[in-house]
Amino acid sequence: MDIFLTALAELFAPGHFVYLLGGVVLGLVIGVIPGIGGLFGLTILVPLTYTLDPIAAFSLLLGMASVTTTSDTVPAVLIGVPGTVGAAATVLDGHALAKKGEAARALGAAYSASMIGGVFGAILLSLALPVMRPVVLLLNYGDLLAITIFGLTLVAMLSGQDQLKGLLAACLGALVACAGLDPHEGAERWTFDLLYLWDGVPVAIVFLGIFGIPELATILRRDRVLQGESDDHDRRKLVQGMGETLRNWRLVLRSGGIGAMLGALPGVGVTVIEWLAYGDAARSRKPDEPEFGTGNIRGVIAPESANNAKEGGSLLPTLAFGIPGSAPMSILLGAFALHGIVPGPRMLDEQAPLVITMILTIALANVLATGFCLGLTPLLAKIARVRATTLVPLALVFVVFGAFQYNKDVFDLIFLLAFGVLGIMMRGLGWSRPAFALGFVLGPNLESFFFLSYQISGWDWLTQPLVVVCLAVAASIVLRQLLKSYRSRSERGVVPPKQADLAFLVLLLGLGVAGFVSLVSLPFAAKVFPSGLAAITAALAAALVLRAVLRWRESTEQSAWPVGADLRFLLLVIVLGAALLSLGHLLGPAAFILGVGLFFGYSPRHLAFATLGVTSVLWLLFDVATPQNWPAPLLF
Amino acid sequence: MNFRKFLMPLTLAALAVAAPVRAADTVALQVGYGPGGSFDIMARLFADHLGKHLDGNPTVVVENVPGAGSLKLARLIADKGATDGSQIGTISGALGLMPVFDPEGGFDPANVRYIASASKESSYCITPKSSGITSLAEFVKSNGKAGATGKSSSTYTYSAAIKAALGGTYDIVTGFGGGNEIDLAMERGDIQVRCGISLTVVGQADMLERYRILGEIGTVSKGPVTDEPFVLDMVSDPAERAALELVFSSTRMHHPYIVSKDTPEETVMALRKAFAETAADPAFLADAETRGVVVDLTDGGEVEALIEGFRNADPAILQRAREMVQ
């Protein structure tokens, strides 16, 4: 208790608290901007901490890193663009709620879930500290593999009405994740002789393309996020959302537990966590709730709680082993060394006050961030009522810029566009994008965990208790879902446009076959996993083509897909990309906003504000705060 | 607010200011690995001090370009690196041996210029004390497991070469996500040994209390840290020893910094001089000590000569070295 009070007093000392506040504010700003996340923030901040004392330094660093996942909800809910890769799952239900005029409710639920999740993660961290080492050491690659397989069965929950299409979408996601050098032989798989693809397509670019681009296209078509009049009772809705989080406290703690536990296991990867929490919540949907993906508040609460809790979790192995649970944590580990702090088992005795201070920092940062966000929400919720012709170009600049700053390579833009097209097609044709995302994040884990556990213990991992439990639960889920879909097979609702859907299926069939054939000459270990996937993809696509042909004559209602509007939006993305490349990273976006503003007839004042505002934010963040070597514009 | 009088000129002024903010006055120090690792830490250390030893005192920024154990960055710089000294890359030292081990591997060190190598420390094989293994000789003849990341990484090449040279019977588990994951698997007892870890890392935290150093990997011994043998000395056959020495020689050019081959000679020289001055700068040295980084600079010219030497080695020894890391 003494240690606890000392730590608390240290944290609230004016010289330290200021840094915590500063870190939290910066973390919130970074979270809102698509494409960058906590890692970006840490690379800015670590050099600034060289001269600080350890408590001030870690107040700043942890304050920042703990809260990017609170504010990344804002763009996710309001404009359907994930603020960090950790918010992609929040987009599904959060943005659906915003479209119904419930943005404030979704945000209220999200922030409070983030806070409780974050604080719960921190508490779990402090309780687990003494037993952490044995627990982490107990779980081996076989267990991780079983957890991954269990995670994959959640695809069934995220597939919407059509299970087979959901499965195919997941296979496609996993196939995309296989592109790049394989982890064993270093053989090139589907890299098309592009160095860019050696490390695969960046996760953030895939998510921005799959989720962000289609949503922005929809907003532009609909004129604003929120259609029709709303009653403008944002404060009341905010409180309603918070109340819903509290009522769903079991879900909050359960998702927080998933986040903290998986965050503590090095190698699982942070992008996996929120999707598992989301799928887990979807699994327990009650019959009277809305479908997940159509605006179910529990679909907002679960991933938000999990992704704030994981920060606490991933600090665990960093402290207890000196083994970082995530990339931001490896930067933090470097910062430990700078400040003469020695992570490892002894840290818990020798540096106990500092450890407690860090845990408190995480908890306090979460509370502060939620306070800030709640205070700002009535203002932010109005974004849903801003005209799309203003909102979409501005948001698009940040999405495209966020993608481009990854490698500053033209392929950043090309792949953003390509995945944007894929996202638009999947949305238009009623394919599950969450299933794709789950396949994409879990695919690489499945491959690498399988090979590692096989090399270490052959097939013995199959007899481990946790593996048996995980696989049994997974099998029962799949069986139940199969039965359910068999029973409800006669109730088919609206189907997507038939011709386009068939064309897409044929494309996937071709992709599966071509993928399989192209891998034939690779070493066995490099090709076995992607070849298997390609074969399953081709088989599923063939089955669906057959089904589509057999059902061709059935007269069912077809959903509309406004292809023209989507194509016009893609043109806008191309124009912005071209401006960015030809005029440079500041002038390009500025010229784009000017041009778009003139085209849509902004008022002169509005035009000047938009152009200046966007340019100065980009300049402050990407030139002043983080000087970077931007490629020279093509035109001069 | 009057638009014509005030905002429009301001907008144009902002655009005019924005336009020239370009690459010209920054130097990018690109790291072939992700943030947080030893290459990243070393590059960030240099980035903080290199600028003041370069003409015009440019801002030096660190960029991470991870991929294929830094082979991606090496290829990027060889193929289309900037030739004005504004793009410097730090890559695996082992890539300097690529023509020897994997001529088809896609990178030839002759296609870049070496500015410097920042370290020539030995590498080590370690095992957790809990594994019960007391010596390298004991492990080599056991049916234990050594951990490695990819097959082109030093964690694999060192383990494979030691196994070949000493007639080992152990297995090598590949595919770990990074050195940290290998360490965790050792703690768990899934595997027993990791070869290819630097003293900077071994010296961190309380690792020396929990781990036993089994052997020193290098071409010249730095003297034992504990009581571990120098691995080369465990091989008596001269040809075998020469081949193993070739595999280990990447330790002599650890943390190399490279630029495009088409960089003018005077720019290469200026960069080499700037690195040498930085490494002797008292502020830099003090900073290195705070961050726990050991810097032992070798001039780029020397590194290039070293690589040329490998290429001209006895073909039989080259062949044997190649077999060792298969």
Side-chain angles (χ1 to χ4, degrees), chain A residues 39 43 47 50 133 136-141 144 181 183-185 188 193 195-200 266-267 321-324 327 330-331 333-334 337-340 342-346 406-409 448 451-452 455-457 583 585-587 590-591 594 604-605 607-609 611-612 615 619 623 626-633 636, chain B residues 1-3 7-8 10-12 14-19 21-24 26-28 30 35-37 40-41 44-45 48 59 61-68 71-72 75-76 79-80 86-87 105 145 148-152 171-177 180-185 187-188 190-191 204-206 209-210 287 290-292:
Chain A
L39 191 58
T43 46
Y50 293 162
R133 284 182 66 85
V136 168
L137 291 180
L138 211 61
L139 297 176
N140 61 23
Y141 286 102
L144 292 181
L181 299 189
H184 301 276
E185 305 285 342
E188 294 185 39
D193 280 336
L195 276 179
Y196 181 92
L197 277 179
W198 275 19
D199 233 18
F321 297 95
I323 291 175
S330 56
I331 296 263
L333 193 65
L338 287 177
H339 292 279
V342 178
R346 282 190 322 191
Y406 260 85
N407 296 299
K408 304 181 186 71
D409 192 312
S448 97
F451 274 110
L452 282 170
Q455 289 180 83
I456 289 168
S457 68
L583 298 174
H585 74 289
L586 290 178
L587 200 55
L594 265 179
R605 174 191 292 197
L607 185 63
F609 272 129
T611 313
L612 273 179
T615 316
W619 179 68
D623 285 291
T626 50
Q628 317 200 15
N629 199 11
W630 290 100
F636 43 82
Chain B
M1 205 182 292
N2 188 316
F3 173 70
L7 279 179
M8 193 63 193
L10 196 62
T11 312
L12 294 177
L15 293 184
V17 172
V21 178
R22 282 206 274 134
T26 51
V27 169
Q30 296 181 320
D40 186 59
I41 292 170
R44 285 179 198 277
L45 174 66
D48 287 346
T59 311
V61 298
V62 172
E63 295 175 350
N64 297 91
V65 187
L71 179 57
K72 178 177 173 177
R75 289 254 315 244
L76 281 175
D79 293 349
K80 52 173 188 181
S86 67
Q87 183 187 13
K145 293 183 175 73
T149 51
K151 283 205 168 164
S152 60
D171 287 324
I172 304 171
V173 175
T174 57
F176 285 99
N180 292 325
E181 288 182 24
I182 302 181
D183 296 350
L184 189 62
E187 299 252 353
R188 248 189 328 246
D190 282 347
I191 58 170
Q204 262 178 12
D206 57 348
E209 279 172 38
R210 292 183 289 129
D287 210 0
T290 328
R291 304 191 202 182

Side-chain angles (χ1 to χ4, degrees), chain A residues 224-295:
Chain A
R224 41 196 89 198
V225 174
L226 177 59
Q227 292 239 290
E229 289 301 304
S230 87
D231 49 5
D232 204 14
H233 284 147
D234 286 338
R235 272 176 210 285
R236 189 175 52 75
K237 295 238 170 85
L238 196 61
V239 174
Q240 185 196 347
M242 293 164 74
E244 276 169 307
T245 298
L246 292 181
R247 267 199 304 288
N248 283 299
W249 62 273
R250 276 175 218 267
L251 179 68
V252 179
L253 296 190
R254 185 188 168 102
S255 309
I258 293 178
M261 268 167 36
L262 294 184
L265 293 176
V268 173
V270 288
T271 43
V272 174
I273 292 169
E274 44 136 20
W275 285 107
L276 287 185
Y278 183 81
D280 178 66
R283 201 166 59 81
S284 58
R285 184 178 72 89
K286 297 184 188 74
D288 53 332
E289 286 176 28
E291 288 277 354
F292 272 66
T294 63

Side-chain angles (χ1 to χ4, degrees), chain A residues 287-455:
Chain A
D288 53 332
E289 286 176 28
E291 288 277 354
F292 272 66
T294 63
N296 187 323
I297 197 78
R298 287 163 62 87
V300 177
I301 293 172
E304 282 306 307
S305 172
N307 74 28
N308 278 54
K310 73 161 196 277
E311 287 307 323
S314 59
L315 190 59
L316 265 176
T318 320
L319 293 175
F321 297 95
I323 291 175
S326 62
M329 286 300 152
S330 56
I331 296 263
L332 214 54
L333 193 65
F336 282 139
L338 287 177
H339 292 279
I341 297 167
V342 178
R346 282 190 322 191
M347 175 146 183
L348 308 179
D349 310 325
E350 292 167 8
Q351 307 266 11
L354 185 66
V355 172
I356 302 288
T357 314
M358 286 185 196
I359 294 170
L360 279 175
T361 304
I362 295 181
L364 196 58
N366 272 291
V367 175
L368 285 172
T370 304
F372 275 118
C373 287
L374 285 176
L376 288 173
T377 295
L379 193 68
L380 289 172
K382 297 206 190 321
I383 290 178
R385 301 192 182 86
V386 171
R387 270 216 329 264
T389 48
T390 304
L391 182 63
V392 171
L394 294 186
L396 185 62
V397 164
F398 284 100
V399 168
V400 170
F401 200 93
F404 187 61
Q405 60 92 27
Y406 260 85
N407 296 299
K408 304 181 186 71
D409 192 312
V410 60
F411 283 106
D412 290 329
L413 300 175
I414 291 175
F415 282 109
L416 177 72
L417 189 69
F419 284 97
V421 170
L422 181 65
I424 283 176
M425 294 209 305
M426 291 180 79
R427 192 206 49 200
L429 298 174
W431 288 70
S432 165
R433 285 176 288 160
F436 174 93
L438 202 62
F440 179 71
V441 296
L442 287 179
N445 282 6
L446 193 64
E447 178 176 26
S448 97
F449 294 158
F450 172 75
F451 274 110
L452 282 170
S453 45
Y454 181 74
Q455 289 180 83

Side-chain angles (χ1 to χ4, degrees), chain A residues 34-185:
Chain A
I36 57 174
L39 191 58
F40 176 89
L42 283 173
T43 46
I44 301 183
L45 288 183
V46 167
L48 302 182
T49 66
Y50 293 162
T51 52
L52 299 179
D53 72 78
I55 293 181
F58 288 102
S59 298
L60 185 65
L61 296 175
L62 287 173
M64 192 284 306
S66 316
V67 302
T68 52
T69 47
T70 303
S71 61
D72 61 1
T73 320
V74 173
V77 167
L78 294 176
I79 56 176
V81 174
T84 70
V85 290
T90 315
V91 168
L92 301 165
D93 287 281
H95 188 55
L97 282 165
K99 284 194 254 183
K100 296 179 184 168
E102 308 265 324
R105 179 178 154 220
L107 288 173
Y111 301 146
S112 41
S114 290
M115 182 186 83
I116 301 174
V119 172
F120 181 63
I123 294 174
L124 221 54
L125 166 65
S126 44
L127 293 180
L129 273 176
V131 292
M132 191 55 213
R133 284 182 66 85
V135 170
V136 168
L137 291 180
L138 211 61
L139 297 176
N140 61 23
Y141 286 102
D143 298 305
L144 292 181
L145 178 60
I147 293 173
T148 308
I149 294 173
F150 170 75
L152 276 175
T153 61
L154 296 175
V155 165
M157 306 299 142
L158 301 178
S159 297
Q161 290 186 332
D162 200 332
Q163 301 283 318
L164 280 181
K165 277 168 92 172
L167 202 54
L168 182 48
C171 286
L172 185 64
L175 275 181
V176 170
C178 283
L181 299 189
D182 89 278
H184 301 276
E185 305 285 342

